[in-house]
Amino acid sequence: MASRFQEASLVTSPSYPNAVAWSSENLIAVAAGHLVIILNPALPSGPRGLISIPNAEPYQIGKVRYEDLLTGGLLPSSLKRERHPCVRSLSWSDLGMSPNYGCLLAVCTAEGRVKLYRPPFSDFSADWVEIADVSDLHFENLLSMNFGESNNPSSTSLSKKDQVVQHDHEDDERIPILRTRKRRRTSVDNINLREMDITDRASCSKQDNQTVNNVLAIELYEQPSNAHHCHSLPKGPKKCSREISPEKYVSREALLSSLSVAWSSLLTFSTEGSSFENQLRFSLLAIGSKSGCVSIWKVHAPESYHIERGSVSPNVELTAIIQAHSSWVSTMSWGIFGRDSSNPQMLLVTGSIDGSVKIWMSNKEDLQKSVEVYTSSFSLLKQVVAVNLVPVSTLSFVVNNYSNAMHLAIGKGSGSFEVWKCEISTRKFEQVASTNAHDQVVTGLAWSYDGRCLYSCSQDNYVRNWILSEDTISEVPIPANTPGLSSTSDLPDDFLSCLGVALSPGNLAVALVRSFNVELLNQMYQARSQKAAVEFIWNGAQQSVESEDSSETITEAILGFSKNEYAYWESNLLWSLKEFTDYNKPLVLWDMIAAMLAFKESMPEFVELVITKWLSVSYLGFHADIPMEDLVPKISKRFSDVPSRLLHILNVISRRVMLSELKTEEINRKLQGQRMNNEEEVDLWLKLLQESERELRERLVGLSFSAYLTAESSLSTDSPSTGNWHPAGLAQMQQWVVINHDIVVSQLQTLSLEVKSSLTRSSNITETALEKENCPYCAAPVHFHSPEEAICESPHQKKKKERCDKGHKLERCCVSMQVCPPTPLWFCKCCNRLTLELAPETLFALPSFPNDLKSLPESSFSKVALKPFCLFCGILLQRKQPKFLLSASPV
C-alpha cells in the first residue's frame, strides 16, 4: 500500500462516485454529503472553503389526479420521505471563468439542481458565492417550449418541429437533438420558480445500508366532483399548472432531474472579419439528466478581470439538448484535439446506467454558428459501448495531441473497467483491455502522463495502478516510498470505501477520498469529527516512461529508494517541467516544488542533478554534464534567446527550491542591493534570478515603448487603433532605462528617447512634470530611485508629537513601476510583489527578445481580457487574503 505524505480529515462523508476534483489553479473540491469542501493541497489542514447545499423546493411542472399517483411510473415520485440534501456531482471549469481569473465550480445535487459558484475573493468569507442557478434557466427554457411536447394532450413524445437531426459519422444513425424555439437570455434574479425536493441517490453500493431512496414532493390534483382540494406545493411561487397525464409528469421530471456535470476547456474564437475586441471566449457546461438528455450550455468568460467587484453574473446560454441515451446519464467527460489548429474539435463522452457509452463531436465552425443561430452543433462520432446490463459509473478521457491518440477508460458498476484507444487521424477505435479490477463498483478513474498511466478506485476501498504500453494494460504496484518526511498525523486507517481519485496539475501527486468505517473508530472523539479523509500520495515514481539510468551519485541506500525509483522520479519531474513550457498551460508548480523540497532535505544532489539536466536541455538544447557553477554563465548568456515561460519557471525554481532557506522579502532585498561589479559576493542562484528578472523587465519595457509608438502612429494616420493595450508608467520606464543604461540593450535606449520626445511634444509639458509622482498618503513628491519601492519626501508636520524625519515607504507596481495606491491590488504568492496594471499577454508568449520591437504587429497589443499573471513568476495573481481564509497556492 502506498504511503500518504499528507492528509485532511472531513466532517462529512461522500455518497457518490467521482467525489473529488482538482482544479487547474490548485484547489481540491470534495463532494461530502450536504457540503462541498474546498481544500488547498499546500495547506490541507489550513483554511477551507465551503458550499452548503440547502433544501430546494420542487418545480411546478403540472398536476396529476389523486387516483393516478400509482400509475404511469409515478410510484417512486409519489413516495414522500425524509429530506436530505446531498452533492451528487461536481466539476471545475478552466482558468479564466471567474471574475478574478480563477475557476468556477459546477455543483449538481441529488435533488437534480445545478448551480455555479465562484471563490469569495472580495467577500472575506469561507462560503463560496452562488452566481447562477442553471436549473432555473433550464426550467424556463423547457417551459417556453412546452417541454418539447406537442399540443396534443395525449402526446408525450417530442414534437418533430422541435427536433434537429444529426448523422452518425460511422453508422449514419439519426440522433434527435432538442432545441428551443426561441433564444432566451434570462437573469437568475427574475426566476421565481423552485425545484423539487429530490434526494435521489442512485446506489453505487452493494450494501443495503447505503441505499437511499428517492424523495419527491409531488403536486396532487383531483377532479372537482370528488370534493377534494387541490394540494399545492409548499412555498410554491406559482399557481397550480394545468392537468397532465402521469406519463408527461414523469417525462418532465426526468428532464429537470440532473445527475452529472462536466466543464470543457476555455475556448477562444474570433468572429469572421472582426477585430480582437470582438473575440468569443466561453466554456461549455454539459449536464446529464435522468431522461437520457444532455443539455449543453455556453458560459461566457468575463470581458475583464478584477479583484474588487464580485457581483457580476456570467452570461449563460442554452445551446442544445441532445437525446444522448435512453436512460440516466451517469457520467461525462470532455476532450479537445487540434487546439493549435485553425479548426479545433470538441469531444464529449457520455455514459449511462443502461451500459452505453457514446462520443459526441463538434468543431470550431459549428460552435461559431451556434452563437448566431440557435441550432445544435454536436453530432454522434461513435457509440463505443452498446446497451448492456452493467451500468457505467465513471469515465476518464484524455487526448494526447503529441501521439495523435485518444484514451478512454470506462468504469462500471460490476467492478470492471474497459480501456479504449483511438487514432485521431483514422478515427479507428479499438478496445485495449477489459479487466475485472475490483469487487465493487468503480468509483473513480484518472489518467496521468498523457494516458500512459491509469489509477482506478472502488467502493471496495482498493486503489490500483495500471500502465498502458502499446496495446496492453498491466497492473503495477503503487510506489510505497515517500520523499521527505511521511505523514505524522494521528489519522486512523480504518477506511471502508474509496469514492474518488484526482491528479494534480503536474501529475506528480494523487488525491484520494476515503470514507471511514465509523464502527471501528473511537465513538467519543474520532467518529464524531472524522467521517472521511482526503489522502495524498506521490505519483513521481510511476513507471510512466522508459528512463535512462541516473547519475552515479544516486545510490540505493538513501530513504529506501532503489536506483530505478530515482530514475522514474527524474524522468517524471522532467516530463512535468516540459509540459509547463507551453504558455497556454497555467503555471501551477506546487507538486513539483513540494517534491523537490522533500528530496532536498535528504538528497540535495538529486535535486541539483534534475535541475542541471533541465537547464542544459531547455537553454542549451543538449544535456551538458558539467557542474552548476560552470553551467550558470552559459545559461545567462542565452536568456534573450529563450521563451518567457522558461524564464518564469527558472524564477520559481530559484525562489522556491534553490533559495528556499531565505524568506521572500530577504530575496527581494538582496536583489535590489546586488550590483554586477560585486560578482564574487553574489550567490550563484541570486545572480541567475537577478539576470532572469532583468530580462523580463527589458521585454516589458520594450513592448510598452513599442505599443505607445504604434498607437501614436495610428493617430497620425487618422486610423486610431481600438481595443489595444495602452501602457502606463512610461515616464518611470524611461528613468529605469537611464539608471541601467550600462546594462540594458541599446534598442531600449533608442526607443526610450523616441517615447520621451513624443510625450513631451504631445503633452506640451516639461520632462520633470511627466516624471512627477505624489505620495497617496501625504501628497508629498516621490522620486524614482528603484522599480520596487519608493520613499516620499514627507513635509513638515504641524502636530508637535508627530515625527517627520522619514517619509512614507511606498511600494511600486511591478509592471508600470508607478507608486501603488492604497487600494486592493493583485498579489503574487511567489515573489510577494504587487501589481496595479496588468502586463500584456504578448509578453508571456514571446519566444525570445524581439530583434525589432517597432516591427511588432498591432495585434500584439490587444487589451482584451488581460490575464492577471505575475511579470516575473508567470503564476496567477490573486487578491491577498487573510491567513484564516482559503486561497490557491500555485507554488
Side-chain angles (χ1 to χ4, degrees):
M1 185 66 183
S3 300
R4 60 176 180 256
F5 66 91
Q6 64 181 24
E7 65 286 308
S9 61
L10 305 175
V11 296
T12 52
S13 178
S15 303
Y16 291 93
N18 307 304
V20 61
W22 205 320
S23 76
S24 54
E25 64 174 328
N26 202 35
L27 289 176
I28 293 176
V30 183
H34 67 286
L35 297 175
V36 177
I37 302 174
I38 298 101
L39 308 171
N40 179 359
L43 295 170
S45 59
R48 301 183 178 185
L50 290 176
I51 298 174
S52 181
I53 306 301
N55 285 314
E57 298 298 332
Y59 292 112
Q60 296 191 21
I61 57 178
K63 52 187 179 180
V64 296
R65 298 182 181 182
Y66 185 83
E67 57 267 23
D68 291 338
L69 289 180
L70 303 181
T71 62
L74 277 178
L75 180 59
S77 300
S78 59
L79 295 177
K80 295 183 179 180
R81 294 180 182 157
E82 181 183 1
R83 295 179 177 180
H84 184 65
C86 186
V87 182
R88 185 185 189 100
S89 175
L90 46 78
S91 177
W92 287 104
S93 75
D94 208 350
L95 271 178
M97 294 301 297
S98 175
N100 68 331
Y101 200 79
C103 299
L104 297 180
L105 184 62
V107 177
C108 177
T109 68
E111 296 172 306
R113 170 75 46 101
V114 176
K115 296 182 179 181
L116 305 183
Y117 296 85
R118 67 159 177 86
F121 57 87
S122 60
D123 303 88
F124 293 99
S125 170
D127 295 324
W128 281 45
V129 182
E130 177 188 336
I131 59 173
D133 191 328
V134 185
S135 294
D136 280 350
L137 300 176
H138 192 32
F139 174 69
E140 182 165 290
N141 276 283
L142 291 175
L143 198 62
S144 67
M145 56 175 282
N146 195 29
F147 292 88
E149 302 163 354
S150 65
N151 295 327
N152 183 3
S154 61
S155 173
T156 60
S157 60
L158 302 174
S159 64
K160 294 182 179 179
K161 187 177 295 184
D162 292 324
Q163 292 182 3
V164 176
V165 178
Q166 300 288 345
H167 295 275
D168 183 2
H169 284 223
E170 181 181 7
D171 303 320
D172 197 29
E173 179 184 357
R174 299 179 69 82
I175 306 298
I177 301 181
L178 288 175
R179 63 182 177 92
T180 60
R181 297 171 182 169
K182 182 179 180 181
R183 185 174 189 150
R184 303 180 62 89
R185 296 188 182 181
T186 310
S187 173
V188 179
D189 299 333
N190 295 332
I191 299 176
N192 296 319
L193 300 169
R194 302 286 184 175
E195 63 177 336
M196 295 183 179
D197 288 320
I198 307 170
T199 319
D200 154 41
R201 297 189 192 175
S203 174
C204 64
S205 170
K206 295 184 179 179
Q207 304 176 8
D208 295 336
N209 60 359
Q210 294 191 5
T211 302
V212 182
N213 297 307
N214 297 343
V215 181
L216 172 65
I218 187 173
E219 180 182 4
L220 307 181
Y221 170 77
E222 288 186 330
Q223 292 182 355
S225 59
N226 293 334
H228 290 293
H229 297 289
C230 176
H231 301 280
S232 61
L233 294 172
K235 300 180 182 179
K238 276 197 167 186
K239 297 180 180 180
C240 293
S241 307
R242 63 182 177 85
E243 177 188 346
I244 60 175
S245 66
E247 292 78 11
K248 278 190 176 182
Y249 194 100
V250 173
S251 175
R252 293 181 178 184
E253 175 201 344
L255 280 172
L256 287 169
S257 298
S258 303
L259 298 174
S260 54
V261 291
W263 282 99
S264 74
S265 56
L266 179 61
L267 306 174
T268 303
F269 298 137
S270 296
T271 56
E272 185 177 356
S274 67
S275 57
F276 281 84
E277 61 267 26
N278 293 325
Q279 282 184 339
L280 299 173
R281 301 172 61 253
F282 58 86
S283 284
L284 299 176
L285 176 64
I287 302 176
S289 68
K290 290 183 179 179
S291 65
C293 294
V294 175
S295 57
I296 309 295
W297 297 80
K298 277 183 182 175
V299 183
H300 292 260
E303 296 181 357
S304 61
Y305 299 103
H306 50 80
I307 51 176
E308 296 187 63
R309 308 178 310 277
S311 58
V312 180
S313 299
N315 183 11
V316 182
E317 299 175 344
L318 178 63
T319 298
I321 304 177
I322 308 173
Q323 185 64 52
H325 301 272
S326 59
S327 188
W328 296 11
V329 181
S330 54
T331 179
M332 297 177 295
S333 182
W334 285 95
I336 181 172
F337 65 85
R339 181 189 294 270
D340 299 330
S341 65
S342 59
N343 191 23
Q345 297 186 344
M346 297 297 303
L347 298 174
L348 175 63
V349 186
T350 60
S352 171
I353 64 170
D354 64 10
S356 61
V357 176
K358 298 179 181 180
I359 301 180
W360 307 84
M361 184 184 70
S362 179
N363 55 39
K364 173 184 175 181
E365 295 179 356
D366 292 337
L367 289 172
Q368 284 181 306
K369 291 178 181 178
S370 66
V371 175
E372 304 298 335
V373 182
Y374 209 171
T375 57
S376 173
S377 59
F378 283 84
S379 58
L380 183 63
L381 174 65
K382 173 70 177 181
Q383 179 166 327
V384 182
V385 180
V387 176
N388 57 79
L389 298 177
V390 184
V392 177
S393 58
T394 183
L395 292 170
S396 184
F397 182 54
V398 63
V399 178
N400 190 337
N401 289 285
Y402 298 107
S403 62
N404 195 37
M406 298 183 294
H407 295 157
L408 172 62
I410 305 171
K412 300 191 174 183
S414 62
S416 64
F417 71 82
E418 298 178 4
V419 175
W420 290 75
K421 185 177 180 181
C422 172
E423 296 294 334
I424 297 178
S425 57
T426 61
R427 294 184 182 178
K428 180 182 179 182
F429 288 82
E430 61 177 344
Q431 182 176 340
V432 176
S434 178
T435 176
N436 294 319
H438 300 275
D439 296 330
Q440 297 186 33
V441 58
V442 179
T443 55
L445 292 168
W447 289 105
S448 64
Y449 301 117
D450 279 338
R452 291 188 291 268
C453 305
L454 178 67
Y455 278 90
S456 66
C457 67
S458 168
Q459 199 164 3
D460 61 11
N461 197 33
Y462 279 95
V463 180
R464 301 188 184 279
N465 185 19
W466 310 84
I467 298 295
L468 179 63
S469 178
E470 295 181 355
D471 294 334
T472 60
I473 190 168
S474 56
E475 183 179 4
V476 295
I478 299 176
N481 292 325
T482 301
L485 298 176
S486 299
S487 173
T488 57
S489 72
D490 57 352
L491 195 70
D493 291 322
D494 301 317
F495 294 112
L496 178 65
S497 60
C498 184
L499 292 172
V501 58
L503 270 295
S504 63
N507 283 202
L508 297 176
V510 182
L512 307 169
V513 178
R514 297 181 186 269
S515 297
F516 285 116
N517 189 343
V518 182
E519 297 179 357
L520 301 180
L521 301 182
N522 185 304
Q523 297 299 312
M524 180 62 70
Y525 303 104
Q526 294 176 331
R528 294 186 177 186
S529 61
Q530 297 177 350
K531 302 295 185 182
V534 180
E535 289 189 304
F536 295 87
I537 61 176
W538 287 117
N539 190 40
Q542 184 66 260
Q543 304 174 32
S544 59
V545 293
E546 295 185 4
S547 307
E548 299 178 357
D549 291 338
S550 299
S551 172
E552 295 181 357
T553 59
I554 298 179
T555 64
E556 301 183 12
I558 300 179
L559 292 177
F561 278 81
S562 67
K563 194 171 183 179
N564 285 335
E565 284 179 312
Y566 276 115
Y568 291 138
W569 264 108
E570 177 186 332
S571 297
N572 292 329
L573 284 169
L574 293 174
W575 178 90
S576 183
L577 285 169
K578 183 180 178 181
E579 288 294 300
F580 283 111
T581 56
D582 181 6
Y583 84 96
N584 291 312
K585 185 178 178 65
L587 195 58
V588 180
L589 302 176
W590 167 81
D591 51 353
M592 186 201 67
I593 299 298
M596 285 189 174
L597 288 176
F599 275 114
K600 186 179 178 181
E601 293 182 4
S602 56
M603 195 174 182
E605 58 268 27
F606 172 71
V607 177
E608 185 172 341
L609 168 71
V610 174
I611 295 178
T612 300
K613 180 175 287 189
W614 175 74
L615 285 173
S616 60
V617 172
S618 300
Y619 286 78
L620 303 180
F622 59 92
H623 174 44
D625 191 9
I626 57 178
M628 183 65 70
E629 53 271 17
D630 297 332
L631 180 62
V632 167
K634 298 179 181 293
I635 295 298
S636 58
K637 293 179 181 179
R638 294 277 302 167
F639 278 166
S640 61
D641 300 324
V642 299
S644 298
R645 174 52 69 92
L646 284 181
L647 298 175
H648 289 142
I649 298 176
L650 174 61
N651 292 346
V652 172
I653 292 177
S654 299
R655 286 180 173 272
R656 292 297 174 173
V657 180
M658 307 311 296
L659 299 174
S660 59
E661 296 82 5
L662 301 177
K663 294 182 178 180
T664 303
E665 292 76 10
E666 186 177 356
I667 295 175
N668 292 340
R669 286 196 300 268
K670 287 180 176 294
L671 290 177
Q672 294 179 45
Q674 300 291 349
R675 293 297 298 174
M676 302 309 294
N677 54 4
N678 293 325
E679 291 184 356
E680 66 278 5
E681 300 178 2
V682 177
D683 180 82
L684 183 68
W685 284 96
L686 278 173
K687 176 186 175 183
L688 200 63
L689 177 61
Q690 183 188 41
E691 294 180 352
S692 176
E693 289 192 351
R694 188 181 68 246
E695 171 66 25
L696 289 168
R697 175 85 71 185
E698 290 183 5
R699 295 186 182 190
L700 172 67
V701 172
L703 289 175
S704 301
F705 289 163
S706 179
Y708 173 77
L709 295 175
T710 300
E712 287 295 307
S713 176
S714 299
L715 289 174
S716 62
T717 57
D718 296 330
S719 58
S721 59
T722 59
N724 278 357
W725 168 65
H726 298 286
L730 292 173
Q732 287 73 24
M733 294 180 184
Q734 294 168 27
Q735 295 178 76
W736 180 81
V737 172
V738 172
I739 293 175
N740 298 273
H741 67 278
D742 57 334
I743 302 175
V744 300
V745 296
S746 58
Q747 186 180 178
L748 286 186
Q749 300 181 37
T750 304
L751 289 177
S752 177
L753 294 175
E754 293 184 25
V755 171
K756 180 184 295 186
S757 174
S758 177
L759 283 173
T760 306
R761 183 174 59 255
S762 60
S763 303
N764 293 322
I765 56 178
T766 63
E767 177 183 340
T768 305
L770 287 173
E771 299 173 357
K772 183 179 179 181
E773 287 185 285
N774 295 323
C775 175
Y777 300 102
C778 63
V782 179
H783 298 291
F784 186 90
H785 301 289
S786 167
E788 302 287 341
E789 60 185 19
I791 298 178
C792 73
E793 296 181 359
S794 178
H796 295 288
Q797 303 291 340
K798 295 181 180 181
K799 297 180 180 180
K800 296 181 180 179
K801 294 185 179 180
E802 272 188 311
R803 299 185 60 184
C804 58
D805 55 341
K806 194 173 184 180
H808 297 102
K809 186 177 180 180
L810 308 171
E811 293 191 70
R812 291 187 177 274
C813 169
C814 73
V815 173
S816 66
M817 293 185 273
Q818 294 176 317
V819 173
C820 293
T823 57
L825 301 173
W826 296 100
F827 176 75
C828 176
K829 274 202 166 184
C830 183
C831 65
N832 288 4
R833 291 186 173 101
L834 297 176
T835 300
L836 175 63
E837 303 288 341
L838 298 178
E841 186 176 357
T842 304
L843 171 72
F844 304 96
L846 282 178
S848 62
F849 193 96
N851 294 324
D852 186 3
L853 287 165
K854 297 183 66 175
S855 64
L856 292 176
E858 186 177 343
S859 59
S860 301
F861 310 116
S862 172
K863 72 173 183 181
V864 177
L866 293 178
K867 298 179 180 179
F869 292 149
C870 176
L871 165 65
F872 298 112
C873 305
I875 68 172
L876 177 64
L877 299 171
Q878 308 174 34
R879 179 171 180 169
K880 192 173 183 179
Q881 298 286 345
K883 292 184 178 180
F884 58 84
L885 291 179
L886 174 73
S887 60
S889 297
V891 295

